[in-house]
């Protein structure tokens, strides 16, 4: 494949995305390139069977077009599963805008991207994601109605991470009830990896409910506010997974649980907001063998999607919160089925989502 010099320094030739495309049961894949502006956008629509494919738009550099496509395909499939398990009338989609390595006009770029979204006629609805902000959604909104999370929408709380954190707290409560037979978070020790938008709000919720916190972050300012506000104990980022605690809550990067560190995890529960928490699905089996209860990421972190869905369709905030609150019950069902059938929680969650997606 020819290199796109506005975007990449290396030239990769990797046909992996064809097999990912097939394995993930796609769907549609759209690529839009505009050399004058530097736009190189990928939109993956995994499914529209349950409704339009709603999913965020990432803006970040990639080392190759193939890497960006694979990321987009996997993320869009995850959105289908997240919507299905949350009983939302939505499909799954995602967009990736590859950040140019040359100067670019951000407004122009997002306007062109918005036009591309518009050409899909509502099959894909875009939203904020890593590297994009509400002001980008405001630009997109000037050229298409198929965008949510912009400043004109009526929600008082515009930031989806508030509902995401609430859902993660409810998910931790379900896991603590199931695994530790405790009805309260009082004195439950939680180790949070990453106290950014979601992690900080989760720390606040947990602190208000009497939990004890150990935290880490690579950003010292984020660490400081958790120490000042919640008396959190601080540990180095490379040690957070080893903390002897009740709950390990990954709220930063992809793959916080990987082949290198799985045996060092020292908590009976893993429950956090990060997307793609397990490096591969085999690790779900290893966690089960180690007696560690894993709350599947796309179930526990669905609060953000529920927020943007409710905003887009003009639902009341209270209804959205009630829907997020239900993450507690969904997880309990998954935990109970997993024990009964002696299967990893991820298998049960995927099966539930697939029943809704494909039946
Ligand atoms: P964020 O960027 O605001 O926060 C991430 C935090 O992790 C930052 O403070 C960053 O400094 C820190 N960090 C980065 N690398 C780290 C490392 N190696 N060790 C420790 N800390 C590190 O992002 P966010 O919006 O809070 O999202 C966190 C995670 O939750 C992401 O995986 C995101 O995809 C997922 N998620 C977020 C939402 C939402 O509503 N924002 C919804 C669903 C899922």
């Amino acid at each position: 494949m020819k290199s796109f010099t506005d975007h990449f320094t290396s030239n990769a030739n990797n046909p992996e995305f064809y097999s990912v495309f097939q394995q993930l049961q796609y769907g549609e894949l759209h690529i839009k390139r505009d050399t004058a502006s530097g736009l190189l956008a990928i939109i993956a629509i995994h499914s529209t069977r349950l409704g339009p494919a709603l999913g965020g738009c990432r803006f970040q550099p990639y080392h190759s077009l193939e890497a960006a496509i694979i990321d987009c395909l996997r993320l869009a499939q995850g959105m289908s599963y997240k919507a299905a398990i949350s009983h939302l009338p939505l499909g799954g989609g995602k967009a990736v805008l590859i950040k140019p390595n040359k100067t670019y006009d951000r407004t122009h770029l997002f306007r062109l991207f918005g036009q591309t979204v518009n050409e899909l006629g509502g099959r894909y609805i875009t939203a904020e994601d890593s590297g994009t902000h509400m002001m980008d959604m405001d630009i997109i909104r000037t050229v298409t109605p198929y965008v949510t999370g912009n400043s004109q929408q009526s929600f008082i709380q515009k930031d989806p991470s508030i509902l995401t954190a609430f859902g993660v707290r409810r998910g931790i409560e379900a896991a603590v009830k199931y695994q530790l037979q405790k009805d309260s978070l009082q004195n439950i020790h939680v180790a949070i990896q990453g106290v950014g938008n979601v992690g900080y709000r989760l720390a606040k919720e947990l602190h208000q409910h009497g939990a004890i916190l150990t935290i880490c972050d690579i950003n010292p300012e984020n660490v400081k506010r958790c120490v000042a506000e919640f008396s959190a104990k601080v540990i180095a980022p490379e040690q957070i997974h080893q903390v002897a605690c009740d709950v390990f809550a990954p709220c930063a990067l992809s793959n916080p649980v990987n082949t290198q560190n799985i045996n060092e995890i020292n908590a009976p529960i893993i429950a956090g907001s990060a997307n793609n928490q397990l490096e591969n699905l085999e690790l779900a089996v290893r966690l089960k063998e180690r007696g560690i209860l894993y709350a599947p990421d796309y179930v526990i972190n669905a609060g953000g999607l529920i927020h943007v869905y409710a905003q887009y369709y003009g639902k009341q905030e209270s209804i959205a919160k009630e829907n997020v609150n239900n993450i507690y019950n969904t997880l309990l069902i998954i935990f109970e089925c997993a024990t009964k059938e002696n299967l990893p929680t991820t298998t049960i969650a995927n099966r539930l989502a697939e029943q809704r997606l494909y039946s």
Side-chain angles (χ1 to χ4, degrees), residues 10-52:
S10 69
N11 188 2
N13 186 7
N14 176 356
E16 189 193 346
F17 70 88
Y18 295 113
S19 70
V20 175
F21 192 80
Q22 276 192 323
Q23 270 168 28
L24 302 183
Q25 307 197 19
Y26 264 82
E28 298 174 41
L29 180 63
H30 302 269
I31 301 178
K32 184 80 170 192
R33 187 182 184 210
D34 179 73
T35 39
S37 64
L39 177 81
L40 182 49
I42 300 153
I43 300 175
I45 300 179
H46 176 258
S47 165
T48 51
R49 196 169 166 264
L50 299 178

Short mmCIF file of all heavy atoms in Angstrom, two decimals, residues 10-52:
data_model
loop_
_atom_site.label_atom_id
_atom_site.label_comp_id
_atom_site.label_asym_id
_atom_site.label_seq_id
_atom_site.Cartn_x
_atom_site.Cartn_y
_atom_site.Cartn_z
N SER A 10 6.06 6.03 8.25
CA SER A 10 6.42 4.68 7.85
C SER A 10 5.40 4.15 6.85
O SER A 10 4.28 4.64 6.75
CB SER A 10 6.45 3.76 9.07
OG SER A 10 5.15 3.60 9.55
N ASN A 11 5.80 3.15 6.11
CA ASN A 11 4.91 2.56 5.12
C ASN A 11 4.69 1.10 5.49
O ASN A 11 5.61 0.31 5.50
CB ASN A 11 5.60 2.68 3.74
CG ASN A 11 4.66 2.27 2.63
OD1 ASN A 11 3.51 1.95 2.88
ND2 ASN A 11 5.15 2.29 1.41
N ALA A 12 3.48 0.76 5.83
CA ALA A 12 3.21 -0.61 6.26
C ALA A 12 2.45 -1.35 5.17
O ALA A 12 1.73 -0.75 4.39
CB ALA A 12 2.40 -0.60 7.55
N ASN A 13 2.61 -2.64 5.14
CA ASN A 13 1.84 -3.43 4.18
C ASN A 13 1.29 -4.63 4.95
O ASN A 13 1.95 -5.63 5.10
CB ASN A 13 2.75 -3.88 3.03
CG ASN A 13 1.95 -4.57 1.96
OD1 ASN A 13 0.71 -4.59 2.03
ND2 ASN A 13 2.62 -5.14 0.99
N ASN A 14 0.09 -4.45 5.44
CA ASN A 14 -0.44 -5.44 6.38
C ASN A 14 -1.89 -5.73 6.03
O ASN A 14 -2.75 -4.89 6.20
CB ASN A 14 -0.34 -4.83 7.80
CG ASN A 14 -0.94 -5.73 8.84
OD1 ASN A 14 -1.50 -6.78 8.51
ND2 ASN A 14 -0.84 -5.33 10.08
N PRO A 15 -2.15 -6.92 5.52
CA PRO A 15 -3.52 -7.20 5.08
C PRO A 15 -4.43 -7.62 6.22
O PRO A 15 -5.55 -8.05 6.00
CB PRO A 15 -3.32 -8.36 4.11
CG PRO A 15 -2.09 -9.06 4.60
CD PRO A 15 -1.25 -8.06 5.34
N GLU A 16 -3.97 -7.46 7.50
CA GLU A 16 -4.73 -7.97 8.65
C GLU A 16 -6.16 -7.43 8.66
O GLU A 16 -7.08 -8.12 9.07
CB GLU A 16 -4.02 -7.58 9.96
CG GLU A 16 -4.60 -8.25 11.19
CD GLU A 16 -4.09 -7.61 12.49
OE1 GLU A 16 -3.10 -6.85 12.44
OE2 GLU A 16 -4.71 -7.87 13.52
N PHE A 17 -6.34 -6.20 8.18
CA PHE A 17 -7.68 -5.63 8.33
C PHE A 17 -8.75 -6.35 7.52
O PHE A 17 -9.90 -6.34 7.87
CB PHE A 17 -7.70 -4.11 8.13
CG PHE A 17 -7.47 -3.64 6.73
CD1 PHE A 17 -8.51 -3.50 5.85
CD2 PHE A 17 -6.20 -3.28 6.33
CE1 PHE A 17 -8.30 -3.04 4.57
CE2 PHE A 17 -5.98 -2.83 5.05
CZ PHE A 17 -7.03 -2.70 4.16
N TYR A 18 -8.33 -7.03 6.44
CA TYR A 18 -9.33 -7.79 5.69
C TYR A 18 -9.92 -8.90 6.57
O TYR A 18 -11.12 -9.14 6.59
CB TYR A 18 -8.72 -8.41 4.43
CG TYR A 18 -8.27 -7.39 3.43
CD1 TYR A 18 -6.92 -7.22 3.14
CD2 TYR A 18 -9.20 -6.55 2.80
CE1 TYR A 18 -6.51 -6.26 2.23
CE2 TYR A 18 -8.78 -5.60 1.89
CZ TYR A 18 -7.43 -5.46 1.61
OH TYR A 18 -7.03 -4.51 0.72
N SER A 19 -9.02 -9.57 7.32
CA SER A 19 -9.53 -10.67 8.15
C SER A 19 -10.29 -10.11 9.36
O SER A 19 -11.30 -10.68 9.76
CB SER A 19 -8.40 -11.60 8.60
OG SER A 19 -7.58 -10.96 9.51
N VAL A 20 -9.85 -8.98 9.90
CA VAL A 20 -10.61 -8.36 11.00
C VAL A 20 -12.01 -8.00 10.51
O VAL A 20 -13.01 -8.25 11.17
CB VAL A 20 -9.88 -7.10 11.55
CG1 VAL A 20 -10.72 -6.39 12.60
CG2 VAL A 20 -8.53 -7.46 12.13
N PHE A 21 -12.07 -7.44 9.31
CA PHE A 21 -13.34 -7.04 8.72
C PHE A 21 -14.30 -8.22 8.65
O PHE A 21 -15.48 -8.12 8.99
CB PHE A 21 -13.07 -6.48 7.32
CG PHE A 21 -14.24 -5.77 6.70
CD1 PHE A 21 -14.54 -4.46 7.05
CD2 PHE A 21 -15.04 -6.40 5.77
CE1 PHE A 21 -15.61 -3.80 6.48
CE2 PHE A 21 -16.12 -5.75 5.19
CZ PHE A 21 -16.40 -4.45 5.55
N GLN A 22 -13.77 -9.36 8.22
CA GLN A 22 -14.61 -10.56 8.10
C GLN A 22 -14.99 -11.12 9.46
O GLN A 22 -16.15 -11.40 9.74
CB GLN A 22 -13.87 -11.62 7.31
CG GLN A 22 -14.03 -11.41 5.82
CD GLN A 22 -13.55 -12.63 5.06
OE1 GLN A 22 -12.59 -13.26 5.44
NE2 GLN A 22 -14.24 -12.94 3.99
N GLN A 23 -13.96 -11.26 10.33
CA GLN A 23 -14.19 -11.85 11.66
C GLN A 23 -15.24 -11.08 12.45
O GLN A 23 -16.04 -11.65 13.17
CB GLN A 23 -12.91 -11.78 12.49
CG GLN A 23 -11.98 -12.96 12.37
CD GLN A 23 -10.65 -12.58 13.02
OE1 GLN A 23 -10.60 -11.77 13.93
NE2 GLN A 23 -9.60 -13.18 12.52
N LEU A 24 -15.22 -9.75 12.34
CA LEU A 24 -16.11 -8.93 13.17
C LEU A 24 -17.50 -8.78 12.55
O LEU A 24 -18.32 -8.03 13.05
CB LEU A 24 -15.49 -7.56 13.42
CG LEU A 24 -14.13 -7.54 14.11
CD1 LEU A 24 -13.68 -6.11 14.36
CD2 LEU A 24 -14.16 -8.30 15.43
N GLN A 25 -17.74 -9.49 11.47
CA GLN A 25 -19.06 -9.51 10.83
C GLN A 25 -19.53 -8.12 10.41
O GLN A 25 -20.61 -7.68 10.79
CB GLN A 25 -20.10 -10.17 11.75
CG GLN A 25 -19.66 -11.54 12.23
CD GLN A 25 -20.82 -12.35 12.78
OE1 GLN A 25 -21.97 -12.08 12.51
NE2 GLN A 25 -20.51 -13.36 13.54
N TYR A 26 -18.68 -7.43 9.65
CA TYR A 26 -19.05 -6.11 9.15
C TYR A 26 -20.01 -6.23 7.99
O TYR A 26 -20.08 -7.27 7.33
CB TYR A 26 -17.75 -5.37 8.74
CG TYR A 26 -17.29 -4.51 9.85
CD1 TYR A 26 -16.56 -5.05 10.90
CD2 TYR A 26 -17.67 -3.18 9.91
CE1 TYR A 26 -16.19 -4.26 11.95
CE2 TYR A 26 -17.30 -2.39 10.96
CZ TYR A 26 -16.56 -2.93 11.99
OH TYR A 26 -16.21 -2.14 13.05
N GLY A 27 -20.77 -5.29 7.68
CA GLY A 27 -20.80 -3.89 8.05
C GLY A 27 -20.28 -3.05 6.86
O GLY A 27 -20.20 -3.46 5.72
N GLU A 28 -19.98 -1.85 7.18
CA GLU A 28 -19.50 -0.89 6.17
C GLU A 28 -18.18 -0.28 6.63
O GLU A 28 -17.99 -0.07 7.84
CB GLU A 28 -20.49 0.28 6.02
CG GLU A 28 -21.86 -0.09 5.56
CD GLU A 28 -22.80 1.13 5.60
OE1 GLU A 28 -22.40 2.24 5.23
OE2 GLU A 28 -23.95 0.94 6.03
N LEU A 29 -17.35 0.05 5.67
CA LEU A 29 -16.11 0.77 5.97
C LEU A 29 -15.95 1.89 4.95
O LEU A 29 -15.96 1.63 3.74
CB LEU A 29 -14.93 -0.21 5.88
CG LEU A 29 -13.55 0.35 6.15
CD1 LEU A 29 -13.45 0.86 7.58
CD2 LEU A 29 -12.50 -0.74 5.93
N HIS A 30 -15.86 3.12 5.44
CA HIS A 30 -15.74 4.27 4.53
C HIS A 30 -14.42 4.98 4.81
O HIS A 30 -14.08 5.21 5.98
CB HIS A 30 -16.88 5.27 4.78
CG HIS A 30 -18.23 4.65 4.59
ND1 HIS A 30 -18.89 4.66 3.38
CD2 HIS A 30 -19.03 3.96 5.44
CE1 HIS A 30 -20.05 4.01 3.51
NE2 HIS A 30 -20.15 3.59 4.75
N ILE A 31 -13.73 5.34 3.76
CA ILE A 31 -12.49 6.10 3.92
C ILE A 31 -12.61 7.37 3.07
O ILE A 31 -12.97 7.30 1.89
CB ILE A 31 -11.26 5.28 3.46
CG1 ILE A 31 -11.18 3.99 4.29
CG2 ILE A 31 -9.98 6.10 3.62
CD1 ILE A 31 -10.05 3.08 3.90
N LYS A 32 -12.36 8.51 3.70
CA LYS A 32 -12.44 9.77 2.97
C LYS A 32 -11.10 10.47 3.05
O LYS A 32 -10.56 10.67 4.14
CB LYS A 32 -13.53 10.66 3.62
CG LYS A 32 -13.78 11.94 2.90
CD LYS A 32 -14.67 11.71 1.69
CE LYS A 32 -15.13 13.02 1.08
NZ LYS A 32 -16.20 12.78 0.11
N ARG A 33 -10.57 10.82 1.90
CA ARG A 33 -9.29 11.51 1.87
C ARG A 33 -9.42 12.80 1.09
O ARG A 33 -10.05 12.82 0.03
CB ARG A 33 -8.24 10.62 1.22
CG ARG A 33 -6.86 11.19 1.30
CD ARG A 33 -5.89 10.29 0.60
NE ARG A 33 -4.54 10.79 0.77
CZ ARG A 33 -3.59 10.61 -0.13
NH1 ARG A 33 -3.81 9.94 -1.22
NH2 ARG A 33 -2.39 11.10 0.09
N ASP A 34 -8.88 13.88 1.65
CA ASP A 34 -8.86 15.16 0.95
C ASP A 34 -7.45 15.73 1.12
O ASP A 34 -7.09 16.21 2.19
CB ASP A 34 -9.91 16.11 1.56
CG ASP A 34 -9.89 17.45 0.87
OD1 ASP A 34 -10.36 17.55 -0.28
OD2 ASP A 34 -9.37 18.41 1.48
N THR A 35 -6.66 15.63 0.08
CA THR A 35 -5.24 15.98 0.22
C THR A 35 -5.04 17.46 0.53
O THR A 35 -4.14 17.82 1.28
CB THR A 35 -4.45 15.62 -1.06
OG1 THR A 35 -5.26 15.92 -2.17
CG2 THR A 35 -4.06 14.16 -1.08
N ALA A 36 -5.90 18.32 -0.01
CA ALA A 36 -5.70 19.76 0.21
C ALA A 36 -5.79 20.13 1.69
O ALA A 36 -4.97 20.88 2.22
CB ALA A 36 -6.73 20.54 -0.60
N SER A 37 -6.78 19.56 2.38
CA SER A 37 -6.97 19.91 3.80
C SER A 37 -6.17 19.01 4.73
O SER A 37 -5.95 19.35 5.89
CB SER A 37 -8.46 19.78 4.15
OG SER A 37 -8.84 18.42 4.00
N GLY A 38 -5.77 17.84 4.24
CA GLY A 38 -5.08 16.86 5.11
C GLY A 38 -6.07 15.90 5.76
O GLY A 38 -5.68 15.11 6.63
N LEU A 39 -7.33 15.94 5.32
CA LEU A 39 -8.31 15.02 5.93
C LEU A 39 -8.05 13.57 5.48
O LEU A 39 -7.92 13.30 4.29
CB LEU A 39 -9.74 15.40 5.52
CG LEU A 39 -10.83 14.46 6.06
CD1 LEU A 39 -11.17 14.79 7.50
CD2 LEU A 39 -12.10 14.54 5.21
N LEU A 40 -7.93 12.69 6.47
CA LEU A 40 -7.94 11.25 6.18
C LEU A 40 -8.80 10.63 7.27
O LEU A 40 -8.37 10.49 8.42
CB LEU A 40 -6.52 10.68 6.18
CG LEU A 40 -6.40 9.19 5.84
CD1 LEU A 40 -7.17 8.80 4.60
CD2 LEU A 40 -4.92 8.81 5.65
N ALA A 41 -10.05 10.35 6.91
CA ALA A 41 -11.04 9.91 7.90
C ALA A 41 -11.53 8.51 7.57
O ALA A 41 -11.72 8.17 6.39
CB ALA A 41 -12.23 10.86 7.92
N ILE A 42 -11.69 7.72 8.62
CA ILE A 42 -12.23 6.37 8.45
C ILE A 42 -13.52 6.31 9.26
O ILE A 42 -13.53 6.73 10.42
CB ILE A 42 -11.24 5.32 9.00
CG1 ILE A 42 -9.92 5.42 8.24
CG2 ILE A 42 -11.81 3.91 8.92
CD1 ILE A 42 -8.76 4.97 9.05
N ILE A 43 -14.56 5.81 8.65
CA ILE A 43 -15.81 5.58 9.40
C ILE A 43 -16.16 4.10 9.26
O ILE A 43 -16.33 3.62 8.13
CB ILE A 43 -16.96 6.47 8.90
CG1 ILE A 43 -16.59 7.96 9.06
CG2 ILE A 43 -18.26 6.17 9.67
CD1 ILE A 43 -17.63 8.92 8.49
N ALA A 44 -16.24 3.42 10.38
CA ALA A 44 -16.61 2.00 10.35
C ALA A 44 -18.00 1.87 10.94
O ALA A 44 -18.26 2.34 12.06
CB ALA A 44 -15.62 1.19 11.17
N ILE A 45 -18.90 1.27 10.18
CA ILE A 45 -20.25 1.01 10.68
C ILE A 45 -20.37 -0.50 10.83
O ILE A 45 -20.44 -1.23 9.84
CB ILE A 45 -21.33 1.55 9.71
CG1 ILE A 45 -21.16 3.07 9.55
CG2 ILE A 45 -22.73 1.22 10.21
CD1 ILE A 45 -22.15 3.71 8.58
N HIS A 46 -20.35 -0.95 12.06
CA HIS A 46 -20.39 -2.39 12.28
C HIS A 46 -21.77 -2.94 12.02
O HIS A 46 -21.94 -3.95 11.35
CB HIS A 46 -19.94 -2.71 13.72
CG HIS A 46 -20.04 -4.16 14.06
ND1 HIS A 46 -21.06 -4.67 14.81
CD2 HIS A 46 -19.27 -5.21 13.70
CE1 HIS A 46 -20.90 -5.98 14.92
NE2 HIS A 46 -19.83 -6.34 14.27
N SER A 47 -22.77 -2.25 12.59
CA SER A 47 -24.14 -2.75 12.44
C SER A 47 -25.13 -1.60 12.56
O SER A 47 -24.90 -0.65 13.33
CB SER A 47 -24.41 -3.78 13.55
OG SER A 47 -25.78 -4.02 13.67
N THR A 48 -26.22 -1.69 11.80
CA THR A 48 -27.32 -0.72 11.98
C THR A 48 -28.62 -1.48 12.23
O THR A 48 -29.70 -0.95 12.06
CB THR A 48 -27.50 0.18 10.73
OG1 THR A 48 -27.59 -0.66 9.59
CG2 THR A 48 -26.37 1.17 10.56
N ARG A 49 -28.48 -2.74 12.63
CA ARG A 49 -29.65 -3.58 12.76
C ARG A 49 -30.60 -3.09 13.85
O ARG A 49 -31.82 -3.13 13.71
CB ARG A 49 -29.21 -5.01 13.06
CG ARG A 49 -30.31 -5.98 12.83
CD ARG A 49 -29.87 -7.41 12.85
NE ARG A 49 -31.07 -8.19 12.95
CZ ARG A 49 -31.55 -8.65 14.09
NH1 ARG A 49 -30.91 -8.43 15.21
NH2 ARG A 49 -32.67 -9.32 14.11
N LEU A 50 -30.04 -2.60 14.95
CA LEU A 50 -30.89 -2.14 16.06
C LEU A 50 -31.17 -0.64 16.00
O LEU A 50 -31.96 -0.12 16.77
CB LEU A 50 -30.23 -2.48 17.41
CG LEU A 50 -29.98 -3.97 17.68
CD1 LEU A 50 -29.28 -4.16 19.02
CD2 LEU A 50 -31.29 -4.76 17.67
N GLY A 51 -30.48 0.06 15.08
CA GLY A 51 -30.67 1.51 14.98
C GLY A 51 -29.44 2.12 14.34
O GLY A 51 -28.51 1.41 13.95
N PRO A 52 -29.40 3.47 14.25
CA PRO A 52 -28.23 4.11 13.65
C PRO A 52 -26.97 3.83 14.47
O PRO A 52 -27.04 3.66 15.69
CB PRO A 52 -28.59 5.59 13.66
CG PRO A 52 -29.74 5.74 14.57
CD PRO A 52 -30.43 4.42 14.68
#
